[in-house]
Amino acid sequence: MAVAPRLVALAEQMLGAAVPVRIRAWDGSEAGPPGGEGGPVVVVRSRRALRRLLYKPGEIGLARAWVAGEIDVEGDLYEVLGALAPLIWERADEGLAAPSGRRRLAAVREFAALAGPGLPPPPPREEVRQRRGGPLHSLRRDRRAISHHYDVGNDFYRLVLGPSMVYSCAVWDDKTASLEEAQTAKLDLICRKLDLREGQRLLDVGCGWGSLVLHAARHYGVRATGITLSGEQAALARRRIAEEGLEERVEIRVQDYRETGDGPYDAISSVGMAEHVGADRYREYAARLYGLLRPGGRLLNHQIARRPAPGGERGEKAYHVDAFIDAYVFPDGELAPVGRTVSLLEEAGFEVRDVEALREHYALTLREWVRNLEEHRTEAAGLTTPGRARVWRLYMAASALAFERARIGVNQILAVRMTPQGSSGLPLRTRDWITPI
């Protein structure tokens, strides 16, 4: 009997829902909704994919099969992910648990028969191992987590991100012609929100490859310090600074925010870094940045946010990190609702003066990164590993859809450390920075 119809019937039985995409199995058979000529198809290349799912039902089993190339998509990846999104988001952890009693047992037996005999294949080498070492968000463990994500080759990131080497949401408008223009607009927007001036001190927490500190030093004349836990990022950032002759104005340190104590700074930026801090450490993070700012200094916190968990406080306590992202992309990363972030900044002493939502901008940015990766897929795999290139393609495409469908968002929060007299130093109309001076 052909394999694909059996796979579709099993999937529908176990998930309790119709399979919304066409499936092709390793024997060449196809089943599912009519695909039409050139329509996307999910390809199950090997029984090994089924053995992974049998022993590890749910998101991790699927992720391992994808990273190993045992499951693939022919055609538009966005179309497939868009059709599967309700199942991915709502049933990610249910796996084989939907049927009950005899129906479940029969389904598992049928699945096992299709998978064939044998133990599950070992996890792909791109997966973070379970023993990560040290308490959650300790200095040692955070360094390892950052290294897993960022120390995979600067050339790989340059291929995906483009010449700007900015790994955070760009800012677009109807006249933006390219990703590079959108990233430059974002860097300049941050500098204007911080009201940077000649000779001021700027601290960039999680500075990446140095793009923001370079822009601020070059165009605003600041003395900038960038900190990162990634050795590869720091090495490239220092090289870029030297090439522009800005060594006297810009310093890059391999350093954690908890190890930084040379304030006061006139301004602090934290762009795409706070997602690594963790809920248990966020109060400490906010207090540390507050202590590093001079009275009247500004903080620009650019951070991805999730929707509040259903069920109020009880739901928030049950929140857990996405299994695929935790295992393959951002180990130990955590997202919080924007309201919680604002509250913690205020509790640290900041006055929050502006919150700008950039959710749709991140979707546009991610689609550009995915396009870069897909256009250079073979080169990308050679610069890192085929598995890691597959991780980034799936992660970025799925994230683009998550931003578009408002599953997650991203916000720039402008906060100030007021003077003892209550002065913020901000203009009466805080959106003056929208028009460049």
Side-chain angles (χ1 to χ4, degrees):
M1 182 179 177
V3 172
R6 295 167 68 189
L7 285 177
V8 169
L10 270 173
E12 292 181 344
Q13 183 180 356
M14 289 185 284
L15 295 172
V19 173
V21 295
R22 195 155 183 82
I23 293 178
R24 182 188 306 141
W26 57 86
D27 65 345
S29 61
E30 290 191 15
E37 188 174 352
V41 178
V42 174
V43 183
V44 184
R45 300 191 186 280
S46 167
R47 295 179 188 269
R48 289 166 59 92
L50 303 191
R51 287 204 291 276
R52 293 187 191 277
L53 282 165
L54 186 65
Y55 285 90
K56 198 71 174 177
E59 191 172 346
I60 286 298
L62 283 169
R64 288 174 175 173
W66 170 268
V67 175
E70 296 154 3
I71 293 178
D72 207 346
V73 169
E74 290 184 2
D76 190 339
L77 179 59
Y78 290 109
E79 187 175 341
V80 170
L81 290 175
L84 291 173
L87 298 179
I88 293 172
W89 290 332
E90 296 171 18
R91 297 176 177 269
D93 297 318
E94 293 184 14
L96 302 177
S100 59
R102 293 181 179 179
R103 286 181 59 219
R104 179 185 178 189
L105 182 60
V108 171
R109 285 175 174 170
E110 171 71 2
F111 200 89
L114 278 173
L119 295 172
R125 62 174 172 158
E126 292 81 8
E127 182 173 317
V128 176
R129 297 298 176 246
Q130 292 302 312
R131 289 192 169 187
R132 303 189 184 189
L136 181 64
H137 295 300
S138 62
L139 284 169
R140 178 183 178 189
R141 182 159 165 171
D142 278 356
R143 283 191 172 93
R144 289 184 175 180
I146 294 299
S147 180
H148 172 86
H149 186 77
Y150 293 105
D151 292 341
V152 300
N154 291 329
D155 290 339
F156 170 77
Y157 274 108
R158 185 181 286 106
L159 186 150
V160 175
L161 304 179
S164 68
M165 292 298 284
V166 179
Y167 191 23
S168 54
C169 168
V171 173
W172 304 78
D173 62 29
D174 294 338
K175 299 178 181 178
T176 306
S178 68
L179 174 62
E180 294 307 304
E181 284 189 11
Q183 289 292 15
T184 299
K186 186 271 297 295
L187 297 178
D188 206 63
L189 178 63
I190 292 170
C191 292
R192 296 198 307 275
K193 285 184 175 182
L194 290 172
D195 193 29
L196 296 182
R197 305 294 174 91
E198 182 85 28
Q200 288 185 330
R201 296 187 74 206
L202 168 68
L203 174 65
D204 187 23
V205 182
C207 66
W209 295 273
S211 298
L212 177 57
V213 289
L214 277 166
H215 185 90
R218 186 190 310 124
H219 296 286
Y220 290 83
V222 301
R223 292 176 291 127
T225 299
I227 61 173
T228 175
L229 293 181
S230 166
E232 291 194 20
Q233 283 187 333
L236 179 55
R238 288 167 181 156
R239 190 157 63 248
R240 296 174 73 191
I241 290 163
E243 288 171 356
E244 295 205 25
L246 291 171
E247 299 101 317
E248 293 185 2
R249 284 192 184 178
V250 184
E251 177 189 8
I252 300 296
R253 305 174 188 162
V254 178
Q255 188 177 66
D256 188 86
Y257 69 92
R258 287 161 284 190
E259 300 170 314
T260 305
D262 62 337
Y265 286 88
D266 299 289
I268 297 177
S269 54
S270 177
V271 183
M273 177 272 172
E275 298 88 340
H276 297 287
V277 171
D280 292 341
R281 292 281 188 178
Y282 207 94
R283 195 180 305 274
E284 177 186 359
Y285 159 82
R288 171 69 69 170
L289 299 192
Y290 183 84
L292 286 168
L293 265 181
R294 66 165 175 82
R298 300 185 190 184
L299 165 70
L300 190 287
N301 189 74
H302 178 122
Q303 181 177 342
I304 298 173
R306 60 175 171 85
R307 302 290 298 172
E313 186 176 346
R314 183 177 181 180
E316 285 296 323
K317 288 181 179 179
Y319 162 75
H320 61 276
V321 179
D322 179 271
F324 166 65
I325 292 176
D326 188 51
Y328 285 97
V329 187
F330 286 109
D332 298 334
E334 297 179 42
L335 302 182
V338 64
R340 180 59 178 153
T341 298
V342 167
S343 294
L344 287 169
L345 290 173
E346 288 182 329
E347 290 171 19
F350 286 105
E351 182 184 32
V352 172
R353 297 299 299 249
D354 187 81
V355 179
E356 183 175 6
L358 297 171
R359 175 173 62 83
E360 295 88 348
H361 296 255
Y362 218 152
L364 292 169
T365 305
L366 282 156
R367 283 183 175 266
E368 289 297 314
W369 292 343
V370 172
R371 182 179 293 111
N372 286 343
L373 181 56
E374 290 183 338
E375 288 178 355
H376 304 92
R377 196 178 305 179
T378 301
E379 184 181 354
L383 289 171
T384 175
T385 66
R388 194 173 297 278
R390 292 175 64 81
V391 166
W392 256 248
R393 181 177 177 231
L394 178 61
Y395 163 66
M396 293 190 299
S399 295
L401 289 177
F403 280 107
E404 288 168 358
R405 300 188 181 191
R407 296 278 302 184
I408 52 178
V410 62
N411 306 279
Q412 285 191 353
I413 301 172
L414 181 68
V416 62
R417 176 174 176 171
M418 295 177 290
T419 68
Q421 295 76 32
S423 173
S424 70
L426 273 82
L428 293 177
R429 298 295 303 275
T430 55
R431 290 297 176 98
D432 286 352
W433 53 68
I434 290 178
T435 302
I437 297 173

